[in-house]
Amino acid sequence: MVEESVRVVRCGGSRLNFRRAVFSADSKFIFCVSGDFVKVYSTATEECVHVLHGHRNLVSGILVNPNNHLQLYSCSFDGTVKLWDYLDGILIKTYIVGPKLHALFIPPCAEESIFLTISKEEPDIFQLVSVKLPKSSSQDVEARELSFVLDYVNQSPKCIAFGNEGEYIAAVRDFYLSVYFLKKKKTCNFTLPSTKNKKNANNKFTCVACHPKEDCIASGHMDGKIRLWRSFHDDKKYTYTCLHWHHDVVMDLAFTVSGTSLLSGGRECVLVEWRDGSEKNKEFLPRLGSTIEHISVSPAGDLLCTSHSDNKITVIHRNLDASAVIQGLVKDRSISTGLMIDPRTKALVLNGKPGHLQFYSLQGDKQLYNLDIIQQEYINDDGLIQIELTKAAFDCSGTWLATVEQRQEDETEFELQLKLWTYSKKTQGFVLNTKITMPHDHPITALRFNNAENHEKPTLVTASRDGHFKVWVLADDSDIYKKAIGWTCDFVGSYHKYQATNCCFSEDGSLLAVSFEEIVTIWDSETWELKCTFCQRAGKIRHLCFGRMTCSKYLLGTTENAILCCWNLLSCSLQWSAKLNVSVLEPDPYSDHVAAVSQSATGSDLFVFKPSEPRPLYIQKDVSREEVQWGVFVPRDVPESFTSEAHQWLNRSQFYFLTKSQCLLTFSTKSPEEKLTPTSKQLLAEESLPTTPFSSILGKHRQQQQESRSNDTSESELVQLPLTENIPAINELLHTPAHVLPSASFLCSLFVNSLLLSKETKSTEEIPDDVDMEEKKESDDSDEENDFTEKAQEANITDLGEDVIHQLSKSEEKELRKFRKVDYSWLVAL
C-alpha cells in the first residue's frame, strides 16, 4: 500500500443541520447535507439508504429536480453543481460553475436554469445569480455563464425565497426586505427602523418565506415577531401584520403546501403552526429538545421536518405528531470528557446533550443512545451557570463507568460529584451504583481505571488541583446481608502540596504515574509506595502515558513549553526528548505505537512513533487547518494488512480525532462505498424495499430451496439448482431499473427460453436430469412431480459413468407442451 493512498477523511459526525432537509416527491425519503456528502434517509425506518459522495468540499444546498422527481441537485463550496439519481446512489452529471457556492434555488417555472448564491471578492458580500445548465452527453459540463439577479444578499438560504411559482424573489438582510420581480426586472425595497431607535432595536430580519399561491411574504425577526407583508408591488402601498409568540429570535419559517398554515420555530424548542395567518388560531408541538434551526415541508404535504441545533432531524406528521428522529453526532459547547470507546459496543463516547454522555456508532454514523448523568432538567438560559459533565472513564471490560460533574459559580460556591455506574445485563444499560459528594476540594483533573487484565479488584484513581490523588476500590457496602457493593477511598497521595494534573496506569497495572505540575511521580499500585520521580523543569506536564507491549518500560510526557519527553523506567532516566508542541498524545492499546498531534502555524500535524526510538514512523502534515483537541484509537473489525513500516500502525486500529469545530476525522484507504461488498450492497437495497406479494413468494421459494438442501446428508445426493446469477434473462429482469427495461413481450421469450433444457453434452458430475426435475417440482402438481422425479432419478443412476447426448423422453415432451400452452399475456400489462 503506497503512502499516498492513506488520506484524511470525514468519517461521520458532520452537521446534518447545516442546511434545510429536503423530502422526495413521495415522502419516502429525506435528504440532508452531511459535510462533503449528501445522505438519503428513509422516513419510515430512519435508516441511511445511500450516501452520495463526490463533492470535494462542504455541500451547501440540495433540491429535488422539478423536471424529474427521481433526481437530486446539490451544490458545494467546491464550485460545482451535481445531479444525482438518489434511488441508485449514482452521480449523473457535474456542472462546473467556478466560484464558491453558498445556496441553491430552483423555482418551478425555471427551464434548465438554477439560481445560486455566490461570494464576491469583498468579504461578507454575496450575490444571487442564475446559471443555465447546458445539455451535454459528457458527465463533466462547464456552466460558467452567470447572470446577475440580486446584489448584497445574505449567504443563508433561509434569507431568500421564491414566491408565486417563481414570479418574484424575496430577499432579506439586516433591516431590509427586497422584492425582485423576474419578468418586470423591477425591485421594491422595504426598510424597518434600525438600532437607532431603542424601541425597535430587534427588527433585524432573520428569515423569509413566500406563500405558495398568494402574494404574501412572511419574515422572521430577532425580537420574535413574524411579519406578513402584502401589497408589496408598490413601495408606498405595502402593508404588514404582526404575529408574536416567540420570546426570542425566529430561526425559520415555512408555509404548508396549500398555504393555509405558516410554521415557525426558534430557541423555545417549540414548533408553532399559525393557521390562516391568525394569531388567535395556532397549534403547538412542544419539547422538541433543542433549538429549531430549519423547517421543511414535503411536496405531498403529509410530512414536515425540523432541524435542530443538537444535530438532529425530527420527522413530523401533518397532525403535529413526531414520527421519526434522525440523530447525528451531538455538537456540545465543549468536549471536556474527551473521546472514549465503550468496550461493549465499540461505540464512540463523549459529551452529548447537556448533562449527557452520547454513545455514537462510528460504523453506522448514527447515535445509539444517550445516558443521562446529571439527571436534572436542563434550563436554556445563557446567564445561568449549569452543572457540567467534565470527566468520564470506562474500565477495560465496560462493566464500570466513572463520571465527574461540577458546578462553580464563584470561588466560594463549588459543587463536585463523582458517580460510578455499573452495567446491568437486565436493563442493558448503566445503573448508578455509588455517588460521592465532594471527593476533592478542587476540580478533578484526571480520572483513570486500572485496566490490567490480571488485576483482582476494580481500582479507580482521581487527581485534583487540591494537591491530592485518591485511590477508590470496590468493596462490600454497609449492608447487613453483605450483598451490596460500593466504592470507597483506599489511599490518598500527594507530593509537596503541588497540584496533581495527570495520572495513568502501566499496561500491567503494577505502576501508577501521577504528575504534580512539573514533576512526575511513580507509585507502586500494590503498596502505594513512591518509587521514583522525574523532573525536567520544562513546564507543567500536559499529557502522560505509558508505552505498550514491547515499549512498556517507557513513560511519555508532554509539557506546556512544547517538549515531548520519554523516560526509561528501568534506568530511571530520560531516554530522549524532542521539541514538539503536542496537543494530543494517544497510545494505541492494540500495538506499541503512539500518535502525537502537534500544533503548527498552518494547522495540525500527526506524528506516529514507538517510544523506544525518537524517529517517527509516519508523518502527516496539515491533517487539519484547525486545532485538534482529542484523539482515540478504535479497534478494527477486520485487520488491515499493511506491510510497510510507515503504515503498520493502521493494521489493528484506526485513529479518530476531533477538531476545535467538532469535526470528526480519521485516516482511511477506502471510501465507505468501497468497503461494502456486493452482497452487502444487495442486502442494503433489499432492506430498503417494501414487502410485496412477489417478494413473499420469492422468499418462500428460497426458503424451500435451503430446506431441501439441508435435508440431504451425502454430497452424492445433493440436487444442484441453477444459480439465477448465471442466467442472463433473469439478471436482466430482476436487476435492471424498471424505467429502462424493454417491453414485457420481449423479455418473456428470453425468460421462457432460459428455463428450457439444453441439448448440449453434460458431464456426469452435473446430473442435468436432477436439475430439470427439481425445477419442474415448482410448477406442476406435487403428486405427479414426486412420481416423475423418482423415475428420472432411477433412469439417471443407470447412466452414470458414461457420456450420452440427452434426448427428450415422451413424458418430458408432454410436460413441455403443457408448459408452452400457458398464457403469458398478463406480463404485457405490467
Side-chain angles (χ1 to χ4, degrees):
M1 189 70 66
V2 294
E3 184 175 349
E4 288 76 15
S5 63
V6 180
R7 62 189 186 278
V8 179
V9 296
R10 272 191 180 89
C11 58
S14 300
R15 290 181 57 189
L16 303 178
N17 58 352
F18 182 58
R19 290 292 186 258
R20 283 178 180 143
V22 176
F23 285 94
S24 61
D26 55 5
S27 302
K28 290 184 178 180
F29 302 102
I30 186 170
F31 315 102
C32 61
V33 303
S34 179
D36 304 351
F37 310 133
V38 178
K39 291 192 173 181
V40 184
Y41 287 93
S42 168
T43 56
T45 64
E46 307 173 15
E47 292 296 323
C48 181
V49 180
H50 285 296
V51 178
L52 310 179
H53 58 94
H55 285 290
R56 297 184 178 181
N57 208 330
L58 290 178
V59 179
S60 54
I62 49 174
L63 282 176
V64 174
N65 185 358
N67 300 320
N68 187 340
H69 296 311
L70 301 179
Q71 296 176 352
L72 182 77
Y73 279 107
S74 67
C75 71
S76 169
F77 286 174
D78 62 8
T80 63
V81 175
K82 294 183 182 292
L83 180 64
W84 309 84
D85 180 345
Y86 63 80
L87 288 179
D88 296 326
I90 300 173
L91 176 62
I92 300 175
K93 201 174 292 291
T94 299
Y95 298 95
I96 304 171
V97 181
K100 192 175 182 179
L101 309 179
H102 293 268
L104 171 66
F105 307 94
I106 307 178
C109 63
E111 297 180 0
E112 302 176 3
S113 294
I114 61 174
F115 291 81
L116 300 165
T117 302
I118 64 172
S119 56
K120 294 180 65 177
E121 296 180 358
E122 298 86 352
D124 201 33
I125 301 297
F126 300 90
Q127 288 182 334
L128 180 67
V129 298
S130 66
V131 180
K132 187 173 182 179
L133 302 179
K135 293 183 177 180
S136 174
S137 59
S138 60
Q139 189 168 8
D140 296 334
V141 183
E142 295 277 345
R144 300 183 183 271
E145 295 184 5
L146 309 180
S147 301
F148 170 78
V149 179
L150 275 177
D151 200 3
Y152 197 66
V153 297
N154 196 304
Q155 63 173 322
S156 173
K158 293 191 292 185
C159 296
I160 299 176
F162 285 73
N164 203 357
E165 297 185 352
E167 181 182 339
Y168 57 87
I169 304 172
V172 296
R173 174 164 178 158
D174 297 333
F175 301 93
Y176 306 96
L177 167 64
S178 299
V179 182
Y180 178 77
F181 298 92
L182 290 171
K183 293 182 179 180
K184 300 179 182 178
K185 298 188 181 301
K186 172 188 174 183
T187 304
C188 296
N189 297 311
F190 309 95
T191 307
L192 291 176
S194 63
T195 55
K196 295 180 181 180
N197 188 343
K198 293 184 179 179
K199 184 178 179 181
N200 300 315
N202 293 323
N203 278 342
K204 188 175 181 179
F205 288 90
T206 58
C207 54
V208 67
C210 294
H211 197 284
K213 298 179 180 179
E214 301 176 4
D215 289 340
C216 176
I217 299 174
S219 61
H221 301 267
M222 290 290 293
D223 57 2
K225 291 182 180 178
I226 300 172
R227 288 178 169 86
L228 298 178
W229 303 75
R230 300 180 186 275
S231 303
F232 44 78
H233 297 271
D234 194 323
D235 294 351
K236 299 180 180 180
K237 296 181 180 180
Y238 73 93
T239 61
Y240 67 77
T241 56
C242 285
L243 306 175
H244 197 184
W245 179 86
H246 298 278
H247 78 276
D248 209 332
V249 56
V250 179
M251 298 297 292
D252 200 11
L253 295 169
F255 280 97
T256 57
V257 176
S258 60
T260 56
S261 297
L262 174 67
L263 302 166
S264 65
R267 293 180 180 172
E268 302 85 2
C269 313
V270 178
L271 180 66
V272 186
E273 179 183 3
W274 309 82
R275 295 182 177 175
D276 302 322
S278 172
E279 190 164 357
K280 296 180 180 180
N281 192 8
K282 52 182 178 289
E283 297 289 335
F284 303 94
L285 178 59
R287 294 181 290 278
L288 289 175
S290 58
T291 300
I292 297 174
E293 294 193 345
H294 298 96
I295 303 173
S296 304
V297 180
S298 66
D302 56 339
L303 293 177
L304 55 101
C305 76
T306 53
S307 303
H308 298 264
S309 59
D310 63 350
N311 208 22
K312 174 180 67 180
I313 296 176
T314 305
V315 181
I316 304 168
H317 283 295
R318 187 61 190 87
N319 58 358
L320 296 187
D321 284 338
S323 63
V325 175
I326 300 169
Q327 178 69 69
L329 185 69
V330 177
K331 309 290 186 176
D332 197 11
R333 291 173 296 180
S334 63
I335 307 298
S336 55
T337 61
L339 304 181
M340 301 166 289
I341 298 298
D342 178 17
R344 290 182 177 271
T345 62
K346 300 298 184 291
L348 182 69
V349 183
L350 67 162
N351 291 94
K353 296 191 298 183
H356 291 68
L357 278 178
Q358 61 173 322
F359 290 69
Y360 192 81
S361 171
L362 293 169
Q363 288 76 21
D365 192 18
K366 63 180 180 179
Q367 188 184 90
L368 299 180
Y369 64 95
N370 270 303
L371 179 62
D372 189 358
I373 301 297
I374 295 179
Q375 298 179 338
Q376 288 187 8
E377 189 68 29
Y378 179 76
I379 301 174
N380 191 3
D381 190 347
D382 294 335
L384 184 64
I385 298 177
Q386 310 281 352
I387 300 176
E388 296 183 355
L389 176 62
T390 57
K391 299 291 178 185
F394 287 93
D395 71 339
C396 60
S397 63
T399 305
W400 291 99
L401 167 66
T403 60
V404 176
E405 56 193 63
Q406 71 177 40
R407 179 180 181 272
Q408 186 167 12
E409 193 162 350
D410 51 44
E411 294 182 358
T412 58
E413 295 187 19
F414 177 66
E415 301 175 15
L416 185 66
Q417 280 190 342
L418 172 63
K419 292 181 179 179
L420 290 117
W421 310 72
T422 181
Y423 185 81
S424 172
K425 294 182 179 179
K426 183 178 180 180
T427 62
Q428 293 293 300
F430 286 93
V431 179
L432 183 62
N433 174 268
T434 305
K435 181 168 67 174
I436 304 169
T437 304
M438 294 304 294
H440 291 272
D441 296 331
H442 289 81
I444 292 177
T445 56
L447 185 70
R448 294 288 186 274
F449 277 97
N450 188 345
N451 287 329
E453 295 181 357
N454 57 354
H455 201 66
E456 296 180 357
K457 56 183 178 180
T459 303
L460 175 71
V461 173
T462 57
S464 172
R465 293 178 187 170
D466 62 4
H468 298 92
F469 72 91
K470 294 185 178 182
V471 181
W472 309 86
V473 295
L474 187 63
D476 289 336
D477 205 352
S478 56
D479 189 288
I480 60 174
Y481 301 104
K482 298 296 182 182
K483 292 184 178 180
I485 56 174
W487 290 78
T488 183
C489 184
D490 184 58
F491 177 77
V492 179
S494 63
Y495 188 82
H496 296 298
K497 297 183 180 180
Y498 291 131
Q499 291 185 359
T501 55
N502 280 284
C503 67
C504 65
F505 281 97
S506 61
E507 185 178 17
D508 60 359
S510 61
L511 296 177
L512 170 68
V514 183
S515 63
F516 292 89
E517 298 183 11
E518 296 183 351
I519 301 171
V520 179
T521 60
I522 307 297
W523 305 75
D524 189 327
S525 63
E526 292 294 331
T527 62
W528 302 117
E529 177 185 354
L530 179 61
K531 289 294 184 180
C532 65
T533 61
F534 301 113
C535 182
Q536 298 305 122
R537 297 298 179 186
K540 290 184 178 181
I541 301 297
R542 184 186 290 175
H543 304 95
L544 206 61
C545 73
F546 280 93
R548 302 273 179 171
M549 298 184 181
T550 61
C551 301
S552 59
K553 63 180 180 179
Y554 299 103
L555 175 66
L556 293 169
T558 65
T559 69
E560 293 181 349
N561 295 343
I563 301 294
L564 173 61
C565 302
C566 179
W567 293 281
N568 190 322
L569 298 174
L570 298 181
S571 62
C572 295
S573 61
L574 180 67
Q575 184 79 8
W576 55 265
S577 64
K579 182 72 175 177
L580 200 64
N581 184 20
V582 177
S583 59
V584 173
L585 184 69
E586 191 68 25
D588 183 5
Y590 307 98
S591 70
D592 49 8
H593 297 97
V594 177
V597 181
S598 68
Q599 285 298 115
S600 63
T602 58
S604 298
D605 305 327
L606 174 73
F607 299 87
V608 179
F609 61 95
K610 292 183 178 181
S612 57
E613 52 183 321
R615 178 181 62 89
L617 300 175
Y618 179 82
I619 300 176
Q620 177 74 45
K621 294 287 187 179
D622 297 329
V623 295
S624 175
R625 295 181 180 178
E626 53 184 336
E627 179 186 356
V628 175
Q629 293 186 330
W630 301 101
V632 67
F633 278 96
V634 181
R636 292 186 183 273
D637 295 332
V638 180
E640 295 285 354
S641 56
F642 293 102
T643 56
S644 65
E645 186 182 26
H647 296 92
Q648 286 182 0
W649 65 283
L650 290 167
N651 282 341
R652 300 188 63 185
S653 305
Q654 194 168 357
F655 184 64
Y656 290 81
F657 57 96
L658 194 72
T659 63
K660 189 175 182 179
S661 63
Q662 299 183 14
C663 182
L664 191 63
L665 305 170
T666 189
F667 293 88
S668 178
T669 57
K670 297 179 180 179
S671 66
E673 291 290 332
E674 291 172 341
K675 292 180 182 178
L676 291 176
T677 62
T679 305
S680 61
K681 288 181 180 179
Q682 182 66 24
L683 288 175
L684 178 65
E686 290 178 358
E687 288 176 358
S688 63
L689 294 176
T691 304
T692 61
F694 180 73
S695 67
S696 301
I697 296 173
L698 190 61
K700 292 180 180 178
H701 168 63
R702 290 175 176 172
Q703 185 178 1
Q704 291 174 359
Q705 288 182 353
Q706 293 175 357
E707 291 176 354
S708 64
R709 291 173 180 173
S710 61
N711 291 335
D712 296 333
T713 55
S714 63
E715 294 184 1
S716 60
E717 296 176 354
L718 283 175
V719 178
Q720 299 293 333
L721 292 176
L723 297 176
T724 57
E725 289 82 355
N726 299 328
I727 302 177
I730 296 180
N731 282 337
E732 190 171 359
L733 183 64
L734 297 180
H735 299 288
T736 305
H739 58 281
V740 296
L741 274 175
S743 63
S745 58
F746 176 77
L747 288 176
C748 183
S749 59
L750 290 177
F751 180 71
V752 172
N753 289 333
S754 67
L755 300 177
L756 298 179
L757 295 172
S758 174
K759 292 186 178 181
E760 296 178 358
T761 303
K762 302 291 181 180
S763 64
T764 57
E765 296 177 356
E766 292 179 351
I767 315 177
D769 293 335
D770 287 353
V771 175
D772 183 52
M773 295 308 106
E774 195 68 29
E775 286 181 345
K776 290 184 179 181
K777 286 183 182 180
E778 301 173 14
S779 59
D780 295 337
D781 184 76
S782 58
D783 294 333
E784 295 179 1
E785 286 175 349
N786 291 336
D787 297 337
F788 185 76
T789 306
E790 291 175 1
K791 294 177 181 178
Q793 289 177 344
E794 292 174 0
N796 185 60
I797 293 173
T798 61
D799 293 337
L800 288 176
E802 57 181 356
D803 296 332
V804 295
I805 299 177
H806 178 72
Q807 295 182 354
L808 294 179
S809 63
K810 293 182 179 181
S811 58
E812 288 175 337
E813 291 179 354
K814 182 179 179 181
E815 293 294 327
L816 187 59
R817 284 195 298 272
K818 188 189 301 183
F819 184 79
R820 287 173 176 170
K821 293 179 182 179
V822 178
D823 184 15
Y824 291 97
S825 60
W826 58 274
L827 283 172
V828 182
L830 293 180

